[in-house]
Amino acid sequence: MLFVILAFALYRVEAAASAPVIPMGLFGRSRVVAGFISGFCVQFALMAGVTYLPRLLQESMGIAAAPSGAALIPMTLALMLGSNVSGALFRKSGRLRAIALTSSFVIFAVAAAFIVRAQSLTAPLVTLLAAALGLGVGVGMPVSNLSVQTGADARDAGRATSTAMFFRGFGGTVSTAVCGMLAPAASPAGTTWVFCAVLVSAVVGLAVSIPIARRISS
């Protein structure tokens, strides 16, 4: 309720401003809005993994803090690899929608794997799935900015980009809160609930990939 009130207040202030920080016209452009939501969903999935998986390794599997942190290093490396690969593919082909769909599909598949194997997860399997999650998130990282920058007017490109960054940060904030609420303790049931939320974010990501441009000039 508070969010709705604050969003309405923001709209009234920004719509009346001669030089708005967030031009309300951006929300009338499907490619821009798709970029905002895509960034939210990708960051939601990332923060779910970052905040929950170390707890799972420590609380449920009895692994010490340092090894549990080290187990997520492949996730970080895969994230960087995915981001660089998707950027290179975009520069070569100009295809953006396919990259967005690939990212959401990988995140969906990883979330489904965590849900199916929630009762029988092992530390090596968690590390492997975390790396796959990082790859999917990394592939989707450039999509948000590229979609909003190419969907907005040139004069609004900077403000559109900063708003996209806000939505990414907002996705991470919401993810941390939601995962903490769904899984107050790391357990098979907690794993199922957390990755059901990630699964939903991936489905939303797949849906909003449709308005993203199939191909844009690179």
Side-chain angles (χ1 to χ4, degrees), residues 39-55 72 75 79 107 130 133-134 137 141 167-180 194-195 197-198 201:
F40 179 98
C41 293
V42 165
Q43 197 71 11
F44 186 100
L46 175 62
M47 291 308 297
V50 168
T51 58
Y52 180 74
L53 293 179
R55 291 176 53 211
L72 297 189
M75 177 181 180
L79 189 152
I107 293 170
L133 179 64
V137 168
M141 280 290 186
F167 273 95
R168 282 174 58 177
F170 188 45
T173 300
V174 172
S175 176
T176 302
V178 167
C179 292
V194 165
F195 284 96
V198 174
S201 77

PDB file of all heavy atoms in Angstrom, residues 39-55 72 75 79 107 130 133-134 137 141 167-180 194-195 197-198 201:
ATOM      1  N   GLY A  39      15.606  -6.057 -15.973  1.00  0.00           N
ATOM      2  CA  GLY A  39      16.669  -5.798 -14.997  1.00  0.00           C
ATOM      3  C   GLY A  39      16.245  -6.182 -13.598  1.00  0.00           C
ATOM      4  O   GLY A  39      17.036  -6.747 -12.825  1.00  0.00           O
ATOM      5  N   PHE A  40      14.998  -5.876 -13.237  1.00  0.00           N
ATOM      6  CA  PHE A  40      14.466  -6.251 -11.926  1.00  0.00           C
ATOM      7  C   PHE A  40      14.541  -7.763 -11.737  1.00  0.00           C
ATOM      8  O   PHE A  40      15.006  -8.261 -10.708  1.00  0.00           O
ATOM      9  CB  PHE A  40      13.022  -5.757 -11.818  1.00  0.00           C
ATOM     10  CG  PHE A  40      12.340  -6.105 -10.523  1.00  0.00           C
ATOM     11  CD1 PHE A  40      12.269  -5.182  -9.492  1.00  0.00           C
ATOM     12  CD2 PHE A  40      11.761  -7.360 -10.337  1.00  0.00           C
ATOM     13  CE1 PHE A  40      11.638  -5.505  -8.293  1.00  0.00           C
ATOM     14  CE2 PHE A  40      11.141  -7.690  -9.143  1.00  0.00           C
ATOM     15  CZ  PHE A  40      11.076  -6.756  -8.115  1.00  0.00           C
ATOM     16  N   CYS A  41      14.071  -8.511 -12.736  1.00  0.00           N
ATOM     17  CA  CYS A  41      14.005  -9.975 -12.622  1.00  0.00           C
ATOM     18  C   CYS A  41      15.386 -10.614 -12.536  1.00  0.00           C
ATOM     19  O   CYS A  41      15.607 -11.550 -11.750  1.00  0.00           O
ATOM     20  CB  CYS A  41      13.225 -10.547 -13.807  1.00  0.00           C
ATOM     21  SG  CYS A  41      11.479 -10.107 -13.827  1.00  0.00           S
ATOM     22  N   VAL A  42      16.310 -10.128 -13.351  1.00  0.00           N
ATOM     23  CA  VAL A  42      17.669 -10.682 -13.339  1.00  0.00           C
ATOM     24  C   VAL A  42      18.328 -10.443 -11.980  1.00  0.00           C
ATOM     25  O   VAL A  42      18.950 -11.348 -11.405  1.00  0.00           O
ATOM     26  CB  VAL A  42      18.506 -10.053 -14.474  1.00  0.00           C
ATOM     27  CG1 VAL A  42      19.981 -10.324 -14.278  1.00  0.00           C
ATOM     28  CG2 VAL A  42      18.059 -10.605 -15.821  1.00  0.00           C
ATOM     29  N   GLN A  43      18.171  -9.238 -11.452  1.00  0.00           N
ATOM     30  CA  GLN A  43      18.789  -8.933 -10.157  1.00  0.00           C
ATOM     31  C   GLN A  43      18.095  -9.686  -9.029  1.00  0.00           C
ATOM     32  O   GLN A  43      18.734 -10.073  -8.050  1.00  0.00           O
ATOM     33  CB  GLN A  43      18.739  -7.428  -9.891  1.00  0.00           C
ATOM     34  CG  GLN A  43      19.678  -6.960  -8.800  1.00  0.00           C
ATOM     35  CD  GLN A  43      21.147  -7.020  -9.213  1.00  0.00           C
ATOM     36  OE1 GLN A  43      21.464  -7.216 -10.380  1.00  0.00           O
ATOM     37  NE2 GLN A  43      22.033  -6.850  -8.252  1.00  0.00           N
ATOM     38  N   PHE A  44      16.797  -9.912  -9.170  1.00  0.00           N
ATOM     39  CA  PHE A  44      16.059 -10.716  -8.185  1.00  0.00           C
ATOM     40  C   PHE A  44      16.680 -12.107  -8.091  1.00  0.00           C
ATOM     41  O   PHE A  44      16.945 -12.617  -6.998  1.00  0.00           O
ATOM     42  CB  PHE A  44      14.589 -10.810  -8.586  1.00  0.00           C
ATOM     43  CG  PHE A  44      13.715 -11.500  -7.571  1.00  0.00           C
ATOM     44  CD1 PHE A  44      12.933 -10.754  -6.710  1.00  0.00           C
ATOM     45  CD2 PHE A  44      13.670 -12.884  -7.480  1.00  0.00           C
ATOM     46  CE1 PHE A  44      12.122 -11.379  -5.762  1.00  0.00           C
ATOM     47  CE2 PHE A  44      12.878 -13.518  -6.537  1.00  0.00           C
ATOM     48  CZ  PHE A  44      12.095 -12.762  -5.676  1.00  0.00           C
ATOM     49  N   ALA A  45      16.910 -12.727  -9.246  1.00  0.00           N
ATOM     50  CA  ALA A  45      17.487 -14.078  -9.264  1.00  0.00           C
ATOM     51  C   ALA A  45      18.896 -14.084  -8.683  1.00  0.00           C
ATOM     52  O   ALA A  45      19.262 -14.986  -7.915  1.00  0.00           O
ATOM     53  CB  ALA A  45      17.500 -14.609 -10.695  1.00  0.00           C
ATOM     54  N   LEU A  46      19.690 -13.078  -9.033  1.00  0.00           N
ATOM     55  CA  LEU A  46      21.069 -13.021  -8.535  1.00  0.00           C
ATOM     56  C   LEU A  46      21.101 -12.926  -7.019  1.00  0.00           C
ATOM     57  O   LEU A  46      21.827 -13.678  -6.354  1.00  0.00           O
ATOM     58  CB  LEU A  46      21.793 -11.827  -9.152  1.00  0.00           C
ATOM     59  CG  LEU A  46      23.211 -11.564  -8.622  1.00  0.00           C
ATOM     60  CD1 LEU A  46      24.128 -12.740  -8.918  1.00  0.00           C
ATOM     61  CD2 LEU A  46      23.775 -10.278  -9.210  1.00  0.00           C
ATOM     62  N   MET A  47      20.332 -11.998  -6.461  1.00  0.00           N
ATOM     63  CA  MET A  47      20.383 -11.803  -5.018  1.00  0.00           C
ATOM     64  C   MET A  47      19.786 -12.973  -4.260  1.00  0.00           C
ATOM     65  O   MET A  47      20.193 -13.256  -3.126  1.00  0.00           O
ATOM     66  CB  MET A  47      19.673 -10.498  -4.650  1.00  0.00           C
ATOM     67  CG  MET A  47      20.412  -9.254  -5.101  1.00  0.00           C
ATOM     68  SD  MET A  47      22.153  -9.217  -4.568  1.00  0.00           S
ATOM     69  CE  MET A  47      21.960  -9.195  -2.783  1.00  0.00           C
ATOM     70  N   ALA A  48      18.833 -13.682  -4.859  1.00  0.00           N
ATOM     71  CA  ALA A  48      18.317 -14.892  -4.221  1.00  0.00           C
ATOM     72  C   ALA A  48      19.443 -15.902  -4.039  1.00  0.00           C
ATOM     73  O   ALA A  48      19.587 -16.515  -2.975  1.00  0.00           O
ATOM     74  CB  ALA A  48      17.186 -15.485  -5.052  1.00  0.00           C
ATOM     75  N   GLY A  49      20.251 -16.073  -5.084  1.00  0.00           N
ATOM     76  CA  GLY A  49      21.380 -16.993  -4.983  1.00  0.00           C
ATOM     77  C   GLY A  49      22.434 -16.516  -4.009  1.00  0.00           C
ATOM     78  O   GLY A  49      22.924 -17.283  -3.172  1.00  0.00           O
ATOM     79  N   VAL A  50      22.780 -15.256  -4.082  1.00  0.00           N
ATOM     80  CA  VAL A  50      23.855 -14.704  -3.248  1.00  0.00           C
ATOM     81  C   VAL A  50      23.493 -14.751  -1.767  1.00  0.00           C
ATOM     82  O   VAL A  50      24.346 -15.019  -0.910  1.00  0.00           O
ATOM     83  CB  VAL A  50      24.187 -13.267  -3.696  1.00  0.00           C
ATOM     84  CG1 VAL A  50      25.087 -12.566  -2.681  1.00  0.00           C
ATOM     85  CG2 VAL A  50      24.859 -13.281  -5.065  1.00  0.00           C
ATOM     86  N   THR A  51      22.235 -14.446  -1.437  1.00  0.00           N
ATOM     87  CA  THR A  51      21.851 -14.375  -0.028  1.00  0.00           C
ATOM     88  C   THR A  51      21.453 -15.726   0.557  1.00  0.00           C
ATOM     89  O   THR A  51      21.695 -15.982   1.741  1.00  0.00           O
ATOM     90  CB  THR A  51      20.679 -13.387   0.166  1.00  0.00           C
ATOM     91  OG1 THR A  51      19.564 -13.799  -0.636  1.00  0.00           O
ATOM     92  CG2 THR A  51      21.085 -11.978  -0.230  1.00  0.00           C
ATOM     93  N   TYR A  52      20.841 -16.589  -0.268  1.00  0.00           N
ATOM     94  CA  TYR A  52      20.319 -17.836   0.297  1.00  0.00           C
ATOM     95  C   TYR A  52      21.313 -18.995   0.247  1.00  0.00           C
ATOM     96  O   TYR A  52      21.417 -19.766   1.214  1.00  0.00           O
ATOM     97  CB  TYR A  52      19.037 -18.250  -0.417  1.00  0.00           C
ATOM     98  CG  TYR A  52      18.462 -19.539   0.142  1.00  0.00           C
ATOM     99  CD1 TYR A  52      17.822 -19.553   1.377  1.00  0.00           C
ATOM    100  CD2 TYR A  52      18.595 -20.748  -0.548  1.00  0.00           C
ATOM    101  CE1 TYR A  52      17.323 -20.730   1.911  1.00  0.00           C
ATOM    102  CE2 TYR A  52      18.095 -21.929  -0.029  1.00  0.00           C
ATOM    103  CZ  TYR A  52      17.456 -21.920   1.205  1.00  0.00           C
ATOM    104  OH  TYR A  52      16.969 -23.088   1.743  1.00  0.00           O
ATOM    105  N   LEU A  53      22.058 -19.133  -0.835  1.00  0.00           N
ATOM    106  CA  LEU A  53      22.895 -20.333  -0.992  1.00  0.00           C
ATOM    107  C   LEU A  53      23.984 -20.465   0.078  1.00  0.00           C
ATOM    108  O   LEU A  53      24.226 -21.584   0.557  1.00  0.00           O
ATOM    109  CB  LEU A  53      23.489 -20.375  -2.398  1.00  0.00           C
ATOM    110  CG  LEU A  53      22.452 -20.595  -3.520  1.00  0.00           C
ATOM    111  CD1 LEU A  53      23.118 -20.611  -4.881  1.00  0.00           C
ATOM    112  CD2 LEU A  53      21.668 -21.891  -3.282  1.00  0.00           C
ATOM    113  N   PRO A  54      24.681 -19.393   0.481  1.00  0.00           N
ATOM    114  CA  PRO A  54      25.631 -19.564   1.587  1.00  0.00           C
ATOM    115  C   PRO A  54      24.954 -20.050   2.867  1.00  0.00           C
ATOM    116  O   PRO A  54      25.519 -20.868   3.610  1.00  0.00           O
ATOM    117  CB  PRO A  54      26.217 -18.163   1.763  1.00  0.00           C
ATOM    118  CG  PRO A  54      26.062 -17.509   0.444  1.00  0.00           C
ATOM    119  CD  PRO A  54      24.745 -18.039  -0.077  1.00  0.00           C
ATOM    120  N   ARG A  55      23.743 -19.572   3.133  1.00  0.00           N
ATOM    121  CA  ARG A  55      22.998 -20.044   4.302  1.00  0.00           C
ATOM    122  C   ARG A  55      22.666 -21.526   4.168  1.00  0.00           C
ATOM    123  O   ARG A  55      22.752 -22.287   5.141  1.00  0.00           O
ATOM    124  CB  ARG A  55      21.704 -19.244   4.463  1.00  0.00           C
ATOM    125  CG  ARG A  55      21.891 -17.793   4.865  1.00  0.00           C
ATOM    126  CD  ARG A  55      20.562 -17.072   4.893  1.00  0.00           C
ATOM    127  NE  ARG A  55      19.603 -17.782   5.705  1.00  0.00           N
ATOM    128  CZ  ARG A  55      18.285 -17.789   5.492  1.00  0.00           C
ATOM    129  NH1 ARG A  55      17.784 -17.116   4.469  1.00  0.00           N
ATOM    130  NH2 ARG A  55      17.481 -18.468   6.288  1.00  0.00           N
ATOM    131  N   LEU A  72      30.819 -20.352  -3.958  1.00  0.00           N
ATOM    132  CA  LEU A  72      30.101 -19.481  -4.881  1.00  0.00           C
ATOM    133  C   LEU A  72      31.028 -18.726  -5.835  1.00  0.00           C
ATOM    134  O   LEU A  72      30.551 -17.937  -6.653  1.00  0.00           O
ATOM    135  CB  LEU A  72      29.242 -18.485  -4.100  1.00  0.00           C
ATOM    136  CG  LEU A  72      28.124 -19.085  -3.246  1.00  0.00           C
ATOM    137  CD1 LEU A  72      27.220 -17.982  -2.711  1.00  0.00           C
ATOM    138  CD2 LEU A  72      27.306 -20.106  -4.029  1.00  0.00           C
ATOM    139  N   MET A  75      30.144 -19.172  -9.388  1.00  0.00           N
ATOM    140  CA  MET A  75      28.967 -18.383  -9.762  1.00  0.00           C
ATOM    141  C   MET A  75      29.394 -16.990 -10.222  1.00  0.00           C
ATOM    142  O   MET A  75      28.904 -16.487 -11.236  1.00  0.00           O
ATOM    143  CB  MET A  75      28.022 -18.275  -8.561  1.00  0.00           C
ATOM    144  CG  MET A  75      26.786 -17.428  -8.800  1.00  0.00           C
ATOM    145  SD  MET A  75      25.759 -17.348  -7.293  1.00  0.00           S
ATOM    146  CE  MET A  75      24.421 -16.313  -7.878  1.00  0.00           C
ATOM    147  N   LEU A  79      29.111 -15.504 -13.973  1.00  0.00           N
ATOM    148  CA  LEU A  79      28.388 -14.258 -14.218  1.00  0.00           C
ATOM    149  C   LEU A  79      29.195 -13.344 -15.137  1.00  0.00           C
ATOM    150  O   LEU A  79      28.665 -12.784 -16.101  1.00  0.00           O
ATOM    151  CB  LEU A  79      28.094 -13.570 -12.885  1.00  0.00           C
ATOM    152  CG  LEU A  79      27.164 -12.357 -12.909  1.00  0.00           C
ATOM    153  CD1 LEU A  79      26.444 -12.234 -11.568  1.00  0.00           C
ATOM    154  CD2 LEU A  79      27.937 -11.067 -13.166  1.00  0.00           C
ATOM    155  N   ILE A 107      17.845 -19.221 -16.194  1.00  0.00           N
ATOM    156  CA  ILE A 107      17.445 -18.981 -14.804  1.00  0.00           C
ATOM    157  C   ILE A 107      16.264 -19.873 -14.435  1.00  0.00           C
ATOM    158  O   ILE A 107      16.214 -20.453 -13.337  1.00  0.00           O
ATOM    159  CB  ILE A 107      17.115 -17.490 -14.593  1.00  0.00           C
ATOM    160  CG1 ILE A 107      18.390 -16.645 -14.747  1.00  0.00           C
ATOM    161  CG2 ILE A 107      16.497 -17.258 -13.211  1.00  0.00           C
ATOM    162  CD1 ILE A 107      18.136 -15.151 -14.787  1.00  0.00           C
ATOM    163  N   ALA A 130      24.725 -23.125  -8.865  1.00  0.00           N
ATOM    164  CA  ALA A 130      24.997 -21.701  -8.635  1.00  0.00           C
ATOM    165  C   ALA A 130      25.768 -21.111  -9.808  1.00  0.00           C
ATOM    166  O   ALA A 130      25.514 -19.974 -10.230  1.00  0.00           O
ATOM    167  CB  ALA A 130      25.772 -21.511  -7.331  1.00  0.00           C
ATOM    168  N   LEU A 133      23.362 -20.576 -12.539  1.00  0.00           N
ATOM    169  CA  LEU A 133      22.566 -19.386 -12.246  1.00  0.00           C
ATOM    170  C   LEU A 133      23.350 -18.118 -12.571  1.00  0.00           C
ATOM    171  O   LEU A 133      22.815 -17.185 -13.179  1.00  0.00           O
ATOM    172  CB  LEU A 133      22.149 -19.386 -10.773  1.00  0.00           C
ATOM    173  CG  LEU A 133      21.318 -18.192 -10.299  1.00  0.00           C
ATOM    174  CD1 LEU A 133      19.973 -18.154 -11.018  1.00  0.00           C
ATOM    175  CD2 LEU A 133      21.110 -18.243  -8.789  1.00  0.00           C
ATOM    176  N   GLY A 134      24.617 -18.096 -12.178  1.00  0.00           N
ATOM    177  CA  GLY A 134      25.455 -16.940 -12.496  1.00  0.00           C
ATOM    178  C   GLY A 134      25.593 -16.726 -13.990  1.00  0.00           C
ATOM    179  O   GLY A 134      25.575 -15.590 -14.464  1.00  0.00           O
ATOM    180  N   VAL A 137      22.279 -15.199 -15.249  1.00  0.00           N
ATOM    181  CA  VAL A 137      22.188 -13.799 -14.842  1.00  0.00           C
ATOM    182  C   VAL A 137      23.149 -12.941 -15.653  1.00  0.00           C
ATOM    183  O   VAL A 137      22.797 -11.853 -16.121  1.00  0.00           O
ATOM    184  CB  VAL A 137      22.475 -13.667 -13.331  1.00  0.00           C
ATOM    185  CG1 VAL A 137      22.671 -12.197 -12.944  1.00  0.00           C
ATOM    186  CG2 VAL A 137      21.348 -14.274 -12.515  1.00  0.00           C
ATOM    187  N   MET A 141      22.480  -9.541 -18.012  1.00  0.00           N
ATOM    188  CA  MET A 141      22.873  -8.249 -17.448  1.00  0.00           C
ATOM    189  C   MET A 141      22.842  -7.097 -18.455  1.00  0.00           C
ATOM    190  O   MET A 141      22.340  -6.018 -18.146  1.00  0.00           O
ATOM    191  CB  MET A 141      24.272  -8.353 -16.818  1.00  0.00           C
ATOM    192  CG  MET A 141      24.295  -8.969 -15.443  1.00  0.00           C
ATOM    193  SD  MET A 141      23.557  -7.877 -14.227  1.00  0.00           S
ATOM    194  CE  MET A 141      23.899  -8.764 -12.717  1.00  0.00           C
ATOM    195  N   PHE A 167      15.821   0.119 -11.060  1.00  0.00           N
ATOM    196  CA  PHE A 167      14.974  -1.063 -11.034  1.00  0.00           C
ATOM    197  C   PHE A 167      15.795  -2.326 -10.765  1.00  0.00           C
ATOM    198  O   PHE A 167      15.306  -3.255 -10.114  1.00  0.00           O
ATOM    199  CB  PHE A 167      14.189  -1.195 -12.343  1.00  0.00           C
ATOM    200  CG  PHE A 167      12.901  -0.434 -12.339  1.00  0.00           C
ATOM    201  CD1 PHE A 167      12.821   0.838 -12.869  1.00  0.00           C
ATOM    202  CD2 PHE A 167      11.762  -0.983 -11.769  1.00  0.00           C
ATOM    203  CE1 PHE A 167      11.629   1.549 -12.851  1.00  0.00           C
ATOM    204  CE2 PHE A 167      10.566  -0.288 -11.740  1.00  0.00           C
ATOM    205  CZ  PHE A 167      10.504   0.994 -12.278  1.00  0.00           C
ATOM    206  N   ARG A 168      17.025  -2.363 -11.239  1.00  0.00           N
ATOM    207  CA  ARG A 168      17.886  -3.501 -10.917  1.00  0.00           C
ATOM    208  C   ARG A 168      18.166  -3.550  -9.422  1.00  0.00           C
ATOM    209  O   ARG A 168      18.072  -4.603  -8.779  1.00  0.00           O
ATOM    210  CB  ARG A 168      19.181  -3.422 -11.715  1.00  0.00           C
ATOM    211  CG  ARG A 168      19.022  -3.867 -13.157  1.00  0.00           C
ATOM    212  CD  ARG A 168      20.261  -3.658 -13.981  1.00  0.00           C
ATOM    213  NE  ARG A 168      21.440  -4.343 -13.466  1.00  0.00           N
ATOM    214  CZ  ARG A 168      22.618  -4.345 -14.064  1.00  0.00           C
ATOM    215  NH1 ARG A 168      22.769  -3.691 -15.212  1.00  0.00           N
ATOM    216  NH2 ARG A 168      23.632  -4.982 -13.557  1.00  0.00           N
ATOM    217  N   GLY A 169      18.515  -2.396  -8.855  1.00  0.00           N
ATOM    218  CA  GLY A 169      18.748  -2.356  -7.410  1.00  0.00           C
ATOM    219  C   GLY A 169      17.497  -2.697  -6.618  1.00  0.00           C
ATOM    220  O   GLY A 169      17.560  -3.387  -5.591  1.00  0.00           O
ATOM    221  N   PHE A 170      16.361  -2.234  -7.109  1.00  0.00           N
ATOM    222  CA  PHE A 170      15.090  -2.524  -6.456  1.00  0.00           C
ATOM    223  C   PHE A 170      14.799  -4.018  -6.490  1.00  0.00           C
ATOM    224  O   PHE A 170      14.308  -4.596  -5.510  1.00  0.00           O
ATOM    225  CB  PHE A 170      13.985  -1.734  -7.159  1.00  0.00           C
ATOM    226  CG  PHE A 170      12.650  -1.796  -6.477  1.00  0.00           C
ATOM    227  CD1 PHE A 170      12.535  -1.642  -5.111  1.00  0.00           C
ATOM    228  CD2 PHE A 170      11.493  -2.001  -7.223  1.00  0.00           C
ATOM    229  CE1 PHE A 170      11.289  -1.694  -4.486  1.00  0.00           C
ATOM    230  CE2 PHE A 170      10.249  -2.051  -6.607  1.00  0.00           C
ATOM    231  CZ  PHE A 170      10.145  -1.904  -5.236  1.00  0.00           C
ATOM    232  N   GLY A 171      15.123  -4.663  -7.607  1.00  0.00           N
ATOM    233  CA  GLY A 171      14.938  -6.109  -7.701  1.00  0.00           C
ATOM    234  C   GLY A 171      15.750  -6.856  -6.668  1.00  0.00           C
ATOM    235  O   GLY A 171      15.273  -7.813  -6.038  1.00  0.00           O
ATOM    236  N   GLY A 172      16.998  -6.416  -6.455  1.00  0.00           N
ATOM    237  CA  GLY A 172      17.830  -7.048  -5.440  1.00  0.00           C
ATOM    238  C   GLY A 172      17.304  -6.830  -4.038  1.00  0.00           C
ATOM    239  O   GLY A 172      17.322  -7.744  -3.196  1.00  0.00           O
ATOM    240  N   THR A 173      16.790  -5.631  -3.779  1.00  0.00           N
ATOM    241  CA  THR A 173      16.237  -5.329  -2.462  1.00  0.00           C
ATOM    242  C   THR A 173      15.002  -6.172  -2.172  1.00  0.00           C
ATOM    243  O   THR A 173      14.866  -6.756  -1.087  1.00  0.00           O
ATOM    244  CB  THR A 173      15.872  -3.832  -2.373  1.00  0.00           C
ATOM    245  OG1 THR A 173      17.046  -3.044  -2.594  1.00  0.00           O
ATOM    246  CG2 THR A 173      15.283  -3.484  -1.015  1.00  0.00           C
ATOM    247  N   VAL A 174      14.109  -6.243  -3.151  1.00  0.00           N
ATOM    248  CA  VAL A 174      12.896  -7.042  -2.982  1.00  0.00           C
ATOM    249  C   VAL A 174      13.247  -8.520  -2.811  1.00  0.00           C
ATOM    250  O   VAL A 174      12.669  -9.221  -1.981  1.00  0.00           O
ATOM    251  CB  VAL A 174      11.947  -6.842  -4.184  1.00  0.00           C
ATOM    252  CG1 VAL A 174      10.775  -7.824  -4.128  1.00  0.00           C
ATOM    253  CG2 VAL A 174      11.434  -5.418  -4.221  1.00  0.00           C
ATOM    254  N   SER A 175      14.233  -8.985  -3.583  1.00  0.00           N
ATOM    255  CA  SER A 175      14.640 -10.386  -3.496  1.00  0.00           C
ATOM    256  C   SER A 175      15.137 -10.735  -2.099  1.00  0.00           C
ATOM    257  O   SER A 175      14.762 -11.769  -1.527  1.00  0.00           O
ATOM    258  CB  SER A 175      15.740 -10.675  -4.522  1.00  0.00           C
ATOM    259  OG  SER A 175      16.204 -12.003  -4.398  1.00  0.00           O
ATOM    260  N   THR A 176      15.973  -9.878  -1.533  1.00  0.00           N
ATOM    261  CA  THR A 176      16.504 -10.136  -0.196  1.00  0.00           C
ATOM    262  C   THR A 176      15.382 -10.238   0.823  1.00  0.00           C
ATOM    263  O   THR A 176      15.371 -11.134   1.681  1.00  0.00           O
ATOM    264  CB  THR A 176      17.481  -9.020   0.204  1.00  0.00           C
ATOM    265  OG1 THR A 176      18.532  -8.951  -0.761  1.00  0.00           O
ATOM    266  CG2 THR A 176      18.080  -9.288   1.569  1.00  0.00           C
ATOM    267  N   ALA A 177      14.417  -9.312   0.729  1.00  0.00           N
ATOM    268  CA  ALA A 177      13.291  -9.322   1.668  1.00  0.00           C
ATOM    269  C   ALA A 177      12.416 -10.555   1.473  1.00  0.00           C
ATOM    270  O   ALA A 177      12.024 -11.226   2.438  1.00  0.00           O
ATOM    271  CB  ALA A 177      12.468  -8.053   1.500  1.00  0.00           C
ATOM    272  N   VAL A 178      12.098 -10.867   0.214  1.00  0.00           N
ATOM    273  CA  VAL A 178      11.208 -11.993  -0.077  1.00  0.00           C
ATOM    274  C   VAL A 178      11.850 -13.309   0.342  1.00  0.00           C
ATOM    275  O   VAL A 178      11.198 -14.169   0.968  1.00  0.00           O
ATOM    276  CB  VAL A 178      10.847 -12.017  -1.580  1.00  0.00           C
ATOM    277  CG1 VAL A 178      10.191 -13.340  -1.962  1.00  0.00           C
ATOM    278  CG2 VAL A 178       9.927 -10.857  -1.916  1.00  0.00           C
ATOM    279  N   CYS A 179      13.130 -13.485   0.020  1.00  0.00           N
ATOM    280  CA  CYS A 179      13.800 -14.742   0.368  1.00  0.00           C
ATOM    281  C   CYS A 179      13.925 -14.907   1.878  1.00  0.00           C
ATOM    282  O   CYS A 179      13.809 -16.013   2.404  1.00  0.00           O
ATOM    283  CB  CYS A 179      15.175 -14.802  -0.301  1.00  0.00           C
ATOM    284  SG  CYS A 179      15.083 -14.956  -2.093  1.00  0.00           S
ATOM    285  N   GLY A 180      14.173 -13.793   2.580  1.00  0.00           N
ATOM    286  CA  GLY A 180      14.218 -13.866   4.035  1.00  0.00           C
ATOM    287  C   GLY A 180      12.876 -14.242   4.622  1.00  0.00           C
ATOM    288  O   GLY A 180      12.792 -14.976   5.624  1.00  0.00           O
ATOM    289  N   VAL A 194      12.217 -20.445  -1.937  1.00  0.00           N
ATOM    290  CA  VAL A 194      13.078 -19.409  -2.515  1.00  0.00           C
ATOM    291  C   VAL A 194      13.146 -19.552  -4.029  1.00  0.00           C
ATOM    292  O   VAL A 194      13.003 -18.573  -4.776  1.00  0.00           O
ATOM    293  CB  VAL A 194      14.490 -19.463  -1.901  1.00  0.00           C
ATOM    294  CG1 VAL A 194      15.484 -18.644  -2.735  1.00  0.00           C
ATOM    295  CG2 VAL A 194      14.464 -18.946  -0.466  1.00  0.00           C
ATOM    296  N   PHE A 195      13.337 -20.776  -4.507  1.00  0.00           N
ATOM    297  CA  PHE A 195      13.513 -20.942  -5.946  1.00  0.00           C
ATOM    298  C   PHE A 195      12.181 -20.997  -6.690  1.00  0.00           C
ATOM    299  O   PHE A 195      12.169 -20.831  -7.919  1.00  0.00           O
ATOM    300  CB  PHE A 195      14.421 -22.134  -6.234  1.00  0.00           C
ATOM    301  CG  PHE A 195      15.861 -21.783  -5.967  1.00  0.00           C
ATOM    302  CD1 PHE A 195      16.453 -22.088  -4.759  1.00  0.00           C
ATOM    303  CD2 PHE A 195      16.592 -21.071  -6.903  1.00  0.00           C
ATOM    304  CE1 PHE A 195      17.759 -21.713  -4.486  1.00  0.00           C
ATOM    305  CE2 PHE A 195      17.891 -20.686  -6.644  1.00  0.00           C
ATOM    306  CZ  PHE A 195      18.487 -21.010  -5.435  1.00  0.00           C
ATOM    307  N   ALA A 197      10.150 -18.570  -6.011  1.00  0.00           N
ATOM    308  CA  ALA A 197      10.140 -17.131  -6.273  1.00  0.00           C
ATOM    309  C   ALA A 197      11.043 -16.790  -7.455  1.00  0.00           C
ATOM    310  O   ALA A 197      10.686 -15.966  -8.309  1.00  0.00           O
ATOM    311  CB  ALA A 197      10.588 -16.366  -5.023  1.00  0.00           C
ATOM    312  N   VAL A 198      12.209 -17.433  -7.527  1.00  0.00           N
ATOM    313  CA  VAL A 198      13.112 -17.212  -8.660  1.00  0.00           C
ATOM    314  C   VAL A 198      12.462 -17.706  -9.949  1.00  0.00           C
ATOM    315  O   VAL A 198      12.585 -17.073 -11.007  1.00  0.00           O
ATOM    316  CB  VAL A 198      14.461 -17.921  -8.424  1.00  0.00           C
ATOM    317  CG1 VAL A 198      15.354 -17.810  -9.661  1.00  0.00           C
ATOM    318  CG2 VAL A 198      15.173 -17.325  -7.211  1.00  0.00           C
ATOM    319  N   SER A 201      10.119 -15.139 -11.156  1.00  0.00           N
ATOM    320  CA  SER A 201      10.834 -14.012 -11.768  1.00  0.00           C
ATOM    321  C   SER A 201      11.332 -14.377 -13.163  1.00  0.00           C
ATOM    322  O   SER A 201      11.334 -13.536 -14.072  1.00  0.00           O
ATOM    323  CB  SER A 201      12.008 -13.567 -10.888  1.00  0.00           C
ATOM    324  OG  SER A 201      13.115 -14.439 -10.981  1.00  0.00           O
TER     325      SER A 201
END
